[in-house]
Amino acid sequence: MGKSSVRGEGARERAPHASDHGLEGGPSHEGGEPSADGGHRRRGREGGRGGGGRAPRPRRRILRWSATILSVLILGTAGAGYLWYQHLNDNLETDDLTLGEHRAPEPTPNAAGQTPLNILLIGSDARDSKENQKLGGAKETFGGTPLADVQMLLHLSADRTNMSVISMPRDTLLSIPKCTDPDDGKVYEASTQRTMTNQTLGRGGPGCTVATWEKLTNIHIDHFMEVDFAGVVSMADAIGGVPVCVDANIHSRDSQGHGSGLKLKKGTTAVKGEQALQWLRTRYGFDGGTDISRAKAQHMYMNSLVRELRNNANLSSPNKLRRLAETATSALKVDDGLGSVKKLYDLSNELKKVSPERTTMTTMPYEYVGARVIPKPGDAEQLFRLVRDDISLDGKGKKKPAGEKVSDDPAAEDGEIAVQVQNGTRTDVEPPVTGRANTVTQLLAGKGFTKAAADTTTALTQDKTVVKFPSAELEGDAQRIAKSLGMKLSSVKKSTDVSGVTLVVGADWREGNAPPKSKQNDKTPDSAEALNGSDKKACMHVDPAFTWK
């Protein structure tokens, strides 16, 4: 069974671009948009390209995050009558959720038995149709390997009171895990150096993008969704326009032809059609001229879009709703778990429970490495942890302490517990502490854990010291290790990355005989630049070099 977009092993070749040069970088694109290849059925290949590439899919619909959520919300407002149209189901196509070898652990249900939902929203810059080529430009890239230029993780809280979004800049350098293409069995080995995250889509499909996010964040992802250039244009038209704001006249075009072409007057304008696409793609013209600025513009667009969906009386028109439902299902590619209109409708009902006031948009904290970025040590993990622990990013609604849940599995005698100790003290700015695994192994042996052994084959990067265990029958042993070191039981994590109880000594324990005890901070890092969904005054700052009179 095939997927309907071009995926090749190598990065697409194209004309040099000033922003595309940097350390360990990969390909990037001015406004790479999503391409969708939806999900009720899979489409076969039309033939291969050289170098292991994929043939173009007849219709890869992936758009920016905004259009993705629009699609879901529209299905929720379209009315039950439309849900029974089989052709809406036939519009959808599916793909595998994850192509990696390991999954992040599923979240623990709250007291009411509820669990959060995590949905990865992917945008591709695929030029796989005449319509997408016309909208996306860059003729030399037609039929090339698509890039996941937009990646946003949507987190819906377990109690459905709040929603959080984390955008990852497409220029982020990461370690991409091993991925296997389910269609042809092609194996894409784990990257040996940090690689731009937008290349994940070309390593077997969106399931590799999901696997990369899970490896980085340890957040269990339940679903993914994609949309493309043409999808955002048609849906923006259907809703009648989305209000956006700039603090000066803007024209996104420089002397070398770089830019989306967006041209707006100072103030608020309801953008739709191709102009909406230009807004979502604009980097040149917004202050800073970076992918970070573009992400902020997308956040503003999304917040405004959701408000329009809730308040626009025109959407009561059955014909308009029908057209929008048709557009949404044709534009979407989803995982098997969302592969029907009924499932999308159920999801939309869950999303609608959250008000704009309890929606928080953030950008993954980052720092520059040359022209690219990496997750900012400390702050990025703090943001990921808040999402993992289902703590709202807006600071509202106090989460009750989870408490120390003791495992039902009794621990073995201390001298019978086999535990491997790994050195995770390396950070992006500091080398690992030499001999740390041996030192802590000796410490454990002194406490009676005589089967403790140091793993000196590798140095890991781990912000906080953690005890990992692979299966339920070893949870009690893992908790016993943590307790002996004075660690909280929340530091004990189930993980398929280990084969036995494993103590990873983190960067927080570079010296001393015990991990430091510190009060947990549940504040969203300032570097995440949180934007509240109800903020109607947000306005993009225009670079003076791109203004006009």
Side-chain angles (χ1 to χ4, degrees):
M1 295 192 295
K3 310 182 196 80
S4 67
S5 89
V6 186
R7 298 188 187 123
E9 184 174 2
R12 146 182 334 118
E13 294 183 2
R14 57 188 182 81
H17 191 291
S19 67
D20 291 342
H21 302 291
L23 295 180
E24 305 170 88
S28 67
H29 221 288
E30 164 60 38
E33 288 322 298
S35 117
D37 22 53
H40 189 60
R41 64 211 184 282
R42 302 172 195 259
R43 300 185 175 178
R45 290 190 183 83
E46 298 177 355
R49 296 192 303 125
R54 292 175 173 278
R57 300 183 176 184
R59 182 158 37 79
R60 183 164 186 84
R61 301 286 168 85
I62 313 172
L63 154 77
R64 297 237 174 235
W65 180 68
S66 323
T68 303
I69 300 306
L70 170 59
S71 305
V72 178
L73 294 179
I74 286 304
L75 289 171
T77 59
Y82 300 120
L83 298 179
W84 307 112
Y85 288 157
Q86 184 59 44
H87 66 270
L88 290 183
N89 275 328
D90 291 341
N91 284 343
L92 289 166
E93 293 181 61
T94 63
D95 212 338
D96 290 21
L97 175 60
T98 180
L99 305 183
E101 296 180 309
H102 305 292
R103 295 300 312 273
E106 295 185 12
T108 302
N110 62 15
Q114 302 166 303
T115 54
L117 270 175
N118 296 305
I119 305 169
L120 186 62
L121 311 167
I122 305 171
S124 154
D125 73 344
R127 270 71 167 173
D128 56 355
S129 68
K130 290 183 178 179
E131 186 175 12
N132 279 332
Q133 183 67 59
K134 179 181 178 181
L135 293 168
K139 294 181 180 179
E140 73 279 3
T141 68
F142 186 82
T145 305
L147 303 173
D149 273 358
V150 178
Q151 300 175 36
M152 297 188 181
L153 181 66
L154 183 152
H155 171 82
L156 184 62
S157 67
D159 61 8
R160 306 305 189 249
T161 62
N162 66 89
M163 185 162 60
S164 305
V165 177
I166 301 176
S167 291
M168 182 185 294
R170 59 123 182 238
D171 292 341
T172 301
L173 296 173
L174 297 173
S175 174
I176 301 177
K178 177 182 177 181
C179 293
T180 302
D181 190 320
D183 287 351
D184 57 14
K186 180 177 177 61
V187 176
Y188 296 84
E189 296 294 343
S191 59
T192 56
Q193 63 176 1
R194 291 182 301 190
T195 304
M196 275 180 60
T197 182
N198 65 355
Q199 293 189 46
T200 54
L201 195 59
R203 297 167 64 91
C208 193
T209 309
V210 170
T212 302
W213 269 81
E214 287 204 345
K215 178 180 179 182
L216 173 68
T217 67
N218 204 31
I219 296 170
H220 185 86
I221 295 176
D222 301 286
H223 302 291
F224 75 79
M225 304 176 74
E226 303 180 38
V227 194
D228 69 6
F229 289 150
V232 67
V233 169
S234 57
M235 285 190 282
D237 283 343
I239 198 174
V242 177
V244 296
C245 176
V246 288
D247 65 0
N249 295 345
I250 182 175
H251 187 199
S252 177
R253 186 74 71 200
D254 66 11
S255 59
Q256 297 179 341
H258 298 144
S260 68
L262 178 71
K263 190 172 184 179
L264 295 176
K265 292 183 178 180
K266 176 181 178 179
T268 300
T269 303
V271 296
K272 59 181 179 179
E274 189 170 353
Q275 197 173 47
L277 178 63
Q278 290 173 335
W279 174 273
L280 294 169
R281 297 180 62 215
T282 294
R283 178 171 76 235
Y284 294 99
F286 291 145
D287 188 38
T290 67
D291 192 50
I292 309 302
S293 298
R294 176 162 52 187
K296 293 178 183 178
Q298 292 168 359
H299 291 170
M300 293 180 186
Y301 181 96
M302 179 56 208
N303 286 339
S304 182
L305 176 65
V306 172
R307 291 194 297 268
E308 288 299 298
L309 283 170
R310 291 177 178 272
N311 301 326
N312 194 330
N314 291 332
L315 289 179
S316 62
S317 164
N319 287 333
K320 182 170 289 189
L321 288 171
R322 181 183 296 110
R323 289 195 301 270
L324 201 48
E326 291 278 2
T327 299
T329 52
S330 296
L332 283 175
K333 176 178 181 181
V334 296
D335 64 279
D336 294 323
L338 289 179
S340 72
V341 174
K342 175 62 168 61
K343 291 176 180 178
L344 288 171
Y345 176 74
D346 291 342
L347 174 60
S348 73
N349 281 335
E350 295 297 293
L351 294 173
K352 288 192 299 181
K353 294 176 182 178
V354 181
S355 68
E357 290 76 14
R358 295 303 311 280
T359 300
T360 306
M361 316 283 289
T362 66
T363 299
M364 179 196 76
Y366 63 91
E367 61 182 29
Y368 279 96
V369 175
R372 308 301 183 194
V373 299
I374 59 173
K376 184 176 182 178
D379 283 10
E381 172 55 28
Q382 168 76 349
L383 187 63
F384 300 152
R385 182 188 65 80
L386 293 177
V387 171
R388 280 198 305 268
D389 292 348
D390 198 24
I391 298 173
S392 62
L393 301 185
D394 59 9
K396 300 177 182 178
K398 295 183 178 179
K399 179 180 173 68
K400 294 182 180 180
E404 298 283 288
K405 182 180 179 181
V406 179
S407 173
D408 294 331
D409 174 61
E413 295 295 324
D414 291 354
E416 296 300 318
I417 297 177
V419 54
Q420 188 176 62
V421 182
Q422 295 179 334
N423 186 348
T425 58
R426 183 180 60 190
T427 71
D428 289 320
V429 295
E430 293 180 297
V433 178
T434 303
R436 194 62 183 148
N438 280 318
T439 299
V440 175
T441 297
Q442 293 171 11
L443 175 65
L444 286 172
K447 292 177 176 290
F449 297 95
T450 55
K451 288 190 176 182
D455 175 6
T456 59
T457 61
T458 184
L460 307 175
T461 299
Q462 177 77 39
D463 285 342
K464 303 290 185 182
T465 300
V466 63
V467 182
K468 298 181 178 181
F469 66 96
S471 53
E473 61 268 18
L474 292 176
E475 184 178 18
D477 291 353
Q479 289 191 351
R480 174 60 191 145
I481 294 292
K483 184 177 180 180
S484 72
L485 294 171
M487 298 168 59
K488 292 184 177 180
L489 296 188
S490 57
S491 299
V492 178
K493 307 289 185 182
K494 185 177 181 179
S495 173
T496 56
D497 290 335
V498 297
S499 58
V501 177
T502 304
L503 170 64
V504 184
V505 182
D508 61 335
W509 191 16
R510 293 176 65 86
E511 59 183 9
N513 293 328
K517 295 181 179 180
S518 59
K519 185 176 181 180
Q520 186 165 273
N521 175 19
D522 289 341
K523 181 179 181 298
T524 301
D526 292 338
S527 56
E529 300 183 334
L531 176 67
N532 187 270
S534 63
D535 186 356
K536 298 180 181 180
K537 297 181 180 179
C539 204
M540 289 301 297
H541 182 58
V542 175
D543 184 335
F546 288 85
T547 192
W548 55 278
K549 295 182 180 181

